[in-house]
Amino acid sequence: MESITEVLNVHYDPLNVLIPELPPQAFNPLAASRYQRTRSTLGRRWGILALVCVIMTGVYYSYDIPAALHQQLYAFMPPSTNFETHFNLLYTVYSVPNVILPFFGGRFVDRFGASFCLVSFASLTLLGQLLFAFGTEAKSWGIMLLGRIIYGFGGESIVVAQSTLLSSWFDGGEVAFAMGISLAVSRLGSVFNNLISPFVANSTGTIWALFIGVAMNSFSVWSAIAVAFMDRDAEQKCTAENEAKAVLMASLLEDDRIDVADEYARQDSKQNDTVSSESVNDSVDETTEHVRLGGVLQFGPVFWLLALSSLVVYGCILPFNNVASGILLERNYFRAPPKDCVLDYPEQCTLGSLQNGTNLARTLDGELCQLKYAAPLLPSSISFTQTDKSWKRSQYNYTSLRPSDVDCGDSFWSCACTKDYCSTQKQATEKAGRIMSIPYLFSAALSPVLGKVVDKVGRRATIACLASLILIMVHTTLALSMSSPVVPLIGQGIAYSLYAAVIWPSIPLVVDKKLTGTAFGVMLALQNIGLSIFPVLIAGIYNSDGRHYIPHVEYFFVSCAVIGTGIGIALQLVDQRRGGKLNATNSDRNESTLIGILAPSENPTLSTREENCN
């Protein structure tokens, strides 16, 4: 297909301004005013994308810190049978406010601008992570939960701001690619967290791991400030160039096209009257949209199916990552020891400076227990008084020792009494952190490529349904098999990449452009209904199943994927009946737009065209 510049026979004038040889009716002030330079024509958009990636990397890093430190927090916080409930509440309280806030965050973005909101929301995440770190140091669930609430105030709304910002800086076929790059690099924050946080917590302490998150959020704030300055400068540049272009075009009309201008003066007057009327109506519509929720009522069934799909499909992706460390430890790397194993001396330490000999675990038949992927046995009871200043407590008296009593950050446990248990736990948590990074690593690698592929092939509704089917297989395998988790988690990464590559870029295709920010907010608000309820349900399932994740928590994820598949099928059917926007390719839409531009009978003046700007 010929490019639009070839069709319009573009040439350059002596002032190096792009001037196409237009049909006579295009040489009038109304047509000249429609050639606008926008942010998407500026080369600096790639710098904006890089800074957005830095911002979101910090946000994702700290969001996932509790998930990576599940076992460390279990050991660090005061012993409680309600630990799993408190832990999952860290994600519930993050999501509950965002059932409402992202919607208003979207309206806030629409009104005040994405770059300003980016700075505001990044600052909230920094404050929230600071409170969470200090609350953990004080061993106060209340302060920790407050920190997560504040983090949630910024963490979800910032997604609305960055999505809207990228939509304004990247148009056409670049939108999905830019969002794919953003998701890919941003999710590396989760990967870095899963790799770094357990290692730092095991080496220097849980609190230090949390303050690395504070540092990451600080980088996000400074990057957001840089984006705000660049965005404002770009707006000023585009405005100045468009005004200069309008003056030049008016001069050409006066000097070289005076006869044509006279001929169409009467037509221009009518068109200007129409434009004035439309401008008034647009102003009224815009005002109304900010005052009431009428814009939401304009969203069609395709948008609402996308929102429901997001609610349930992300329900078996993000909540799974919250408890993935616990699942992998229970299922693969730190299993409960066999019930028929007992220590030679149940009331003595197992390994360390307080154990002069050996205290091996044996079966009832006297054979050594095979504990390759299991946790070493703990003494049934101990009683010691502090003899080393490095110990955290003065007395260690336990008549019935439980795993929750063992704090491997205390040298009494890690060096003196249960060295084998703490050493195995350290290796297991770090390995679980590496393995649970697989989905995000695949997402980081595949998202940019899939974004480009989706732009070319379309089929967004089909791909969304396919992702749900893959998730069914992934979580069924994790529930029913004790095989290596690597292959299922690769499948999780592929499904996540496919789904993210189609769900967010689909929003601008099915809603009015001026409501894009609001649409992103509504989508996130509905998604957070699931993300606030699902962790509580998971904790309830875990506690009711004797404090086990396998298999019933995995069955819950399977059910979410099944519902997502059903919604995906419905999305296919509804989209097909309404013109197939989701399954269309960008070339299909561009061809339709080009036909509209080149139809003089329907468009006496040319539509807005963006120029290349270096």
Side-chain angles (χ1 to χ4, degrees), residues 90 93-94 97-98 101 128 144-154:
L90 293 174
V93 298
Y94 172 95
N98 290 295
L101 286 177
M144 292 165 68
L145 292 171
L146 176 62
R148 292 294 287 183
I149 290 173
I150 295 175
Y151 199 93
F153 271 73

Side-chain angles (χ1 to χ4, degrees), residues 357-561:
T358 59
N359 192 4
L360 301 178
R362 302 179 187 274
T363 65
L364 298 179
D365 297 331
E367 298 181 358
L368 290 177
C369 290
Q370 300 299 317
L371 302 174
K372 182 177 181 181
Y373 294 110
L377 267 67
L378 292 171
S380 59
S381 62
I382 58 171
S383 180
F384 288 94
T385 300
Q386 184 181 33
T387 59
D388 190 320
K389 292 182 179 180
S390 65
W391 297 359
K392 291 184 177 180
R393 300 172 58 184
S394 59
Q395 296 288 331
Y396 295 85
N397 297 315
Y398 298 92
T399 56
S400 180
L401 185 65
R402 300 169 299 175
S404 59
D405 297 325
V406 179
D407 176 9
C408 289
D410 184 347
S411 61
F412 169 79
W413 301 105
S414 61
C415 298
C417 189
T418 57
K419 184 177 180 179
D420 54 342
Y421 182 90
C422 289
S423 177
T424 302
Q425 183 190 85
K426 175 182 177 181
Q427 296 174 10
T429 54
E430 292 178 9
K431 185 170 185 178
R434 293 193 296 271
I435 298 301
M436 66 187 282
S437 298
I438 289 175
Y440 291 148
L441 280 172
F442 269 78
S443 174
L446 294 178
S447 291
V449 177
L450 290 175
K452 271 292 188 186
V453 170
V454 169
D455 282 339
K456 290 185 177 295
V457 305
R459 314 303 302 176
R460 293 168 180 83
T462 303
I463 292 172
C465 190
L466 175 62
S468 298
L469 288 171
I470 295 175
L471 289 171
I472 292 175
M473 293 185 288
V474 165
H475 291 288
T476 300
T477 301
L478 291 174
L480 301 178
S481 169
M482 298 301 288
S483 61
S484 170
V486 172
V487 173
L489 291 185
I490 290 174
Q492 177 98 348
I494 293 173
Y496 180 37
S497 301
L498 287 171
Y499 192 74
V502 299
I503 193 69
W504 299 108
S506 294
I507 296 177
L509 302 180
V510 298
V511 301
D512 189 275
K513 188 172 183 179
K514 71 178 182 180
L515 295 175
T516 301
T518 301
F520 278 121
V522 171
M523 176 81 87
L524 281 169
L526 292 176
Q527 178 181 310
N528 275 282
I529 291 176
L531 297 182
S532 61
I533 295 174
F534 292 168
V536 176
L537 293 177
I538 290 169
I541 295 170
Y542 174 87
N543 290 326
S544 65
D545 194 29
R547 303 177 72 182
H548 292 100
Y549 291 107
I550 304 297
H552 292 97
V553 169
E554 280 297 338
Y555 288 157
F556 171 78
F557 294 132
V558 171
S559 66
C560 290

